Amino acid sequence: MRTSVENTSAPAIEADAIVVLCFEKTIPAELNTLTSGWFDEIIATGEFSGKPLEFAILHRPAGLKAKRLVAAGCGPADKFDGAAMRRVAGAAVRNLKVSGAKSIALLLEGDLAKQTAAAIEGAILGNFETDTRKSEREAKEVESFTVISTATAAIADHAKILADSQNLTRDLVNEPANILTPGELARRAQAMAVECGLDCEILDRDRMKQLGMGSLLGVAQGSLEPPYLIVLRYKAESTDHLALIGKGVTFDTGGVSIKPADGMEKMKYDMAGGAAVIGAMRAIAHLKPKVSVTALIPAVENMVSHNAQRPGDIVTALNGKTIEVLNTDAEGRLILVDAIEYARRLGVTHMVDAATLTGAIVVALGHVHVGVFANDDAMLNRVMAAAKSQGEKMWHMPLDDEYKEYLKSSFADLPNIGGRWGGAITAAYFIKEFTGGTPWVHLDIAGTAWLDDAKPYMAKGPSGVAVRTFVDLAMNW
Ligand code: BES
Ligand code: MN
Ligand code: ZN
């Protein structure tokens, strides 16, 4: 989708639709006059009241060049923030493209830099569809989106980079696991790196064996698809060095501790953390933050086979700790800890990981908040601030030392699962044991990386959560 900002007036805009924000109990006076009281009328008839995501359409509006005038409900003006703007723009795009609109303009008043950015992001995110592999695609796409405001072109470009990067993540997550294997994920990450000017290094099985990544390799051993550790580097002149680490399980059958058949097809999204990191690195390559950022994506497939890891197997992680694999379905943490140790050896000073790690986080927080765990308050605050400014809902979860009791193994340093309770916390605690005191934040995105139902402003399927938080974190470092 092409996007732009134009500093002009509504009547001059040529577009298939021009969208006007309507707050509860306020009427856009000039347009109301121009249209001989259309806004008065839709409110009087009860057709429209300005509630969030309510729309009314006037065809061939008098005095405007645009083909349609669209009233977009925004709720009360004092509650309208960036997240609400993203939703309205996304919903406008999704509503209008169904009726064939190809060019949409959105009217903002004044120099609303933040709202201009949010509108462009929302429009690009709303335009995304998941039917790329249907022979006859149902989805029509909007070709151009213009914000009428005095914001700068740089603001618009920044927003487009961010949202296109989030959509790259969503495309990766949407790919089926027969196509998006660990090798294919590595190829796509490398292609992005070449295109955007990032360094890319891909560690193969031999190299990982040589290094001693027994924890990661144990998960990978049951699959014919070879594992890779994907490393992308953005270099800046900084003393701090941020690592973004993403779980890249391209398919999670559970292994020998196999998952139920029902719903297993969804486990193609078990690489959503890795995809979020790849999307974020694309934006980082373009936006050039002042801090060095290294991305690490352990990419494996968790399969059942004659060669698969067994419950009870003991593996040795890169940092030397031994792990008793009590459940082969708790594989995400096993691959993450070797990536974390490798990141530390590369000299990173701060780490964030994103992982579709546990069903337990879905029980705790539903599909609303990302679960956030940290071993360092300053790092936690940075990530929470980034999430807040990007409108990504995140909730701080506990990681007290008492939870250590839940992780006891008779035969190795650690088991890979805790008991029945606090499953998201014990998973996070397990990872924490491998951070060696490097400031670290863990995002459990199992409940938020995939939308089971479409929203008015977003297609059903991959959400691209954490991309904007990662980029914001790097940009404001
Ligand atoms: N990939 C799953 C977690 C998951 C569950 C992601 C639902 C998305 C939706 C993870 O590898 C897993 O299987 N976790 C187990 C851990 C358990 C064996 C301790 C779980 O949550 O059941
Ligand atoms: Mn699993
Ligand atoms: Zn998994």
Side-chain angles (χ1 to χ4, degrees), residues 247 249 252 254 259 266-267 269-270 302 327-333 356-360 362 416-419 423 445-447:
K247 172 176 174 182
V249 175
D252 183 9
K259 287 181 180 298
K266 266 180 64 184
M267 279 302 116
Y269 91 91
D270 215 15
N302 189 21
N327 190 314
T328 64
D329 197 11
E331 84 297 342
R333 60 200 80 178
T356 47
L357 204 67
T358 66
V362 196
N416 75 328
I417 53 167
I445 59 171

Side-chain angles (χ1 to χ4, degrees), residues 356-376:
T356 47
L357 204 67
T358 66
I361 201 67
V362 196
V363 175
L365 300 176
H367 300 289
V368 177
H369 283 91
V370 170
V372 184
F373 302 82
N375 68 356
D376 180 88

Side-chain angles (χ1 to χ4, degrees), residues 27-234:
I27 282 172
E30 269 172 58
L31 283 167
N32 193 44
T33 311
L34 207 62
T35 56
S36 322
W38 178 63
F39 291 90
D40 286 335
E41 196 163 321
I42 55 176
I43 289 167
T45 57
E47 187 181 330
F48 184 85
S49 65
K51 283 203 190 75
L53 307 189
E54 196 180 35
F55 290 94
I57 302 179
L58 174 67
H59 288 262
R60 307 170 127 275
L64 296 182
K65 285 189 182 158
K67 288 186 189 144
R68 304 173 185 82
L69 176 62
V70 181
C74 294
D78 57 336
K79 288 207 177 118
F80 193 71
D81 56 6
M85 179 74 257
R86 254 180 236 108
R87 289 193 290 267
V88 170
V93 164
R94 296 191 71 70
N95 275 339
L96 289 164
K97 68 176 170 177
V98 177
S99 54
K102 295 286 173 213
S103 56
I104 298 177
L106 177 103
L107 186 61
L108 286 184
E109 271 155 41
D111 179 24
L112 303 164
K114 204 178 154 202
Q115 293 297 41
T116 300
I120 289 175
E121 288 163 21
I124 293 173
L125 297 173
N127 207 29
F128 175 89
E129 298 292 348
T130 54
D131 63 350
T132 48
R133 291 188 183 275
K134 287 199 179 192
S135 325
E136 289 190 28
R137 296 191 62 189
E138 288 155 16
K140 300 169 186 161
E141 276 170 25
V142 172
E143 286 161 10
S144 83
F145 184 82
T146 304
V147 180
I148 304 166
S149 103
T150 53
T152 60
I155 295 280
D157 291 345
H158 185 290
K160 180 171 161 58
I161 289 165
L162 205 52
D164 281 342
S165 300
Q166 188 172 339
N167 281 352
L168 164 67
T169 295
R170 295 164 84 193
D171 270 326
L172 290 171
V173 174
N174 189 47
E175 287 289 49
N178 61 325
I179 292 167
L180 199 94
T181 58
E184 181 62 15
L185 186 61
R187 276 187 289 280
R188 300 224 189 158
Q190 188 167 40
M192 182 281 285
V194 168
E195 202 183 302
C196 303
L198 295 170
D199 280 356
C200 175
E201 186 193 356
I202 292 166
L203 283 67
D204 63 10
R205 184 168 359 228
D206 287 345
R207 179 75 187 119
M208 291 190 277
K209 237 181 221 155
Q210 215 174 46
L211 287 163
M213 296 188 174
S215 186
L216 185 157
L217 291 172
V219 176
Q221 76 186 33
S223 175
L224 280 176
E225 296 295 340
Y228 295 98
L229 177 60
I230 306 164
V231 183
L232 304 171
R233 285 199 185 83
Y234 164 79

